[in-house]
Amino acid sequence: MTQQSLGTQRRTGHINGRAVDTDDSFVVLDPATGRPLADVAACGAEQVDQAVTAARLAYESGWKRTSAAERATMLRKISAAIVANGQELARIESQDTGKPLRQAVVDVNFAARFFEFYSNMVEAVFGSIIPAGTDRVTFSIREPYGVTGHITPWNYPLGLATRTIAPSLAAGNCCVLKPAEEAPLSTLRLAEIMSDAGLPDGVLNVVPGRGPEAGAALAAHPGLGKLSFTGSVPVGIRIGQATAANLVPADLELGGKSPNIVFGDADLAAASKVVAQSILQNAGQTCSAGSRLLVHRSVHQELVERLVRIFADTTLGHGLDDPGLGPVISRKQQQRVLDYIALGRGEGELLVGGGAPGDPALEGGNFILPTIFDGVSSAASIAQQEIFGPVLTVTTFDDTDEAVSLANGTDYGLVAGVWTANVGRAHRLIRDLNCGQVMVNTFSNGVELPFSGRKQSGYGTSKSYEALLGFTQTKGAVIMMSEQ
Ligand code: NAD
């Protein structure tokens, strides 16, 4: 394995355009080696309060008076700055999360694209004139919330931070962002890059820290106008309770157990590549991972054979060496996935993988072999629970009704992939699948497509024009005519 390191470094919070250090700190580890990468200031309630105050001041003293065109210009500069610093950001992201470098490059480009997309969209946010009578003018306008809070997970730190701060800033809010303690480094660098690009002090503040301290303090802060949370179901519920206590609205983007549904008429060469990619990408640590394969009995054997070949041929290594698969984020996450694999041995037939690799060169890292369990009943734990690792379950179906029932048969409802040449069937599944996004003959989507959950996958819409509207609130106004 190539020994490439960012070197151990001290990183601080970013409040009101300045580096803010604390007495307390936490260590960030390289998931591929277990070695320390950085020592990061652990912000707590005091720094969160400073950050919310700084954001409020920046909002009142300037940002709320900016025109949509001015904010669009700023967002375009940020997008260009992310691209200009793209190589550095991608290397930080790859080393901090363990993901293969080419995936980190995709994530950085995605981050830049969010700012570009919302710079284009923000000048198209209109209120409306309402025909309530000829003696008055009745209309609505859209206003920002003021200060928005953002709490993000470790799996796509840059992509998920920019997914919500770009529309929030575009809408005219100022932000306080708490990245995950496992992988905060790209977000901290992003804050510096945005400042250097000309974003005024206090408009974006980043408070690294532990969830129960910095995260809880941010979620419970009464100075927020809105909170956006991306993460697990149990923490999401706690966040929803904390924001409700202050009557602060929250978007909760939570977990998933998403299916790829492959019918007998599907293009199996294309489907097999994408099904494999949808669970191996980011070592299966993707909210919208295609972690369940539902396959029609007529093509089950051929598809499974193709998948086993792809999984068996996938190389493992350090993210910076750009392997097929990197490590999972932590020892704790590795153990959690291994526990599910142990459970899976009693719930299905293990076809490939099934544990940590034996390679001594990978010993220090949190690696898991790409794993497939076949013949898994829909009630099995490994088919119901989010494993968040490179583990695919395979369940066979005989007709469309059964496919829909299996697909909808978990507590989650995030996304689904449908593989068929039959347009009528595709339409039927788009209608009947109880999830936020359906992708037919693909499993990819861009920033333009609304992304939302059903059931335990949460609520609120990210990406798309709708997310921009979601960071605004409506005000109604009426003006009576004095002369008629
Ligand atoms: P997590 O819920 O443990 O942590 C997410 C964030 O919440 C982190 O910043 C963490 O520090 C913070 N946090 C933890 N405890 C907190 C508390 N008591 N109060 C306030 N904040 C707290 O999730 P994770 O393990 O980092 O991420 C994995 C989960 O995220 C998976 O379930 C995955 O499906 C989900 N996810 C969802 C989406 C989506 O868009 N739906 C995207 C990515 C990840």
Side-chain angles (χ1 to χ4, degrees), residues 62-303:
W63 194 247
K64 79 172 183 187
R65 305 254 174 263
T66 53
S67 67
E70 286 167 332
R71 292 197 300 278
T73 301
M74 188 68 250
L75 263 63
R76 271 193 287 278
K77 284 187 190 159
I78 292 170
S79 179
I82 292 173
V83 172
N85 291 279
Q87 272 201 353
E88 181 200 354
L89 281 169
R91 290 184 72 80
I92 294 173
E93 194 76 321
S94 171
Q95 192 157 24
D96 205 8
T97 62
K99 67 183 68 193
L101 190 56
R102 67 186 179 288
Q103 173 65 50
V105 169
V106 170
D107 293 2
V108 170
N109 290 337
F110 223 69
R113 176 80 181 116
F114 276 122
F115 284 98
E116 182 192 57
F117 178 72
Y118 289 110
S119 77
N120 294 330
M121 284 282 143
V122 65
E123 292 192 75
V125 176
F126 303 120
S128 43
I129 302 283
I130 300 150
T134 55
D135 59 343
R136 68 198 67 192
V137 182
T138 305
F139 59 101
S140 69
I141 51 178
R142 287 188 174 272
E143 298 180 330
Y145 280 96
V147 178
T148 56
H150 305 254
I151 300 178
T152 50
W154 42 258
N155 54 347
Y156 292 84
L158 263 186
L160 295 174
T162 53
R163 183 171 85 169
T164 65
I165 61 170
S168 182
L169 294 173
N173 302 289
C174 293
C175 303
V176 178
L177 167 59
K178 199 218 71 79
E181 48 273 53
E182 293 86 349
L185 302 181
S186 61
T187 309
L188 293 169
R189 183 71 188 108
L190 174 72
E192 294 166 350
I193 289 170
M194 288 172 65
S195 276
D196 292 347
L199 190 70
D201 291 349
V203 175
L204 170 69
N205 306 276
V206 180
V207 282
R210 301 179 186 95
E213 293 159 19
L218 184 56
H221 202 291
L224 299 183
K226 177 163 181 170
L227 184 98
S228 164
F229 171 78
T230 310
S232 64
V233 174
V235 177
I237 290 171
R238 223 172 289 157
I239 300 272
Q241 289 164 341
T243 52
N246 292 322
L247 298 174
V248 168
D251 286 345
L252 303 177
E253 301 272 358
L254 309 178
K257 191 72 186 174
S258 300
N260 266 297
I261 309 164
V262 181
F263 287 89
D265 60 354
D267 174 347
L268 294 189
S272 56
K273 284 190 201 130
V274 177
V275 168
Q277 157 81 4
S278 76
I279 182 65
L280 297 183
Q281 177 175 316
N282 216 34
Q285 304 162 114
T286 305
C287 57
S288 55
S291 50
R292 291 187 294 151
L293 169 62
L294 308 178
V295 56
H296 190 265
R297 193 173 303 280
S298 62
V299 289
H300 165 265
Q301 193 180 342
E302 183 183 342
L303 183 57

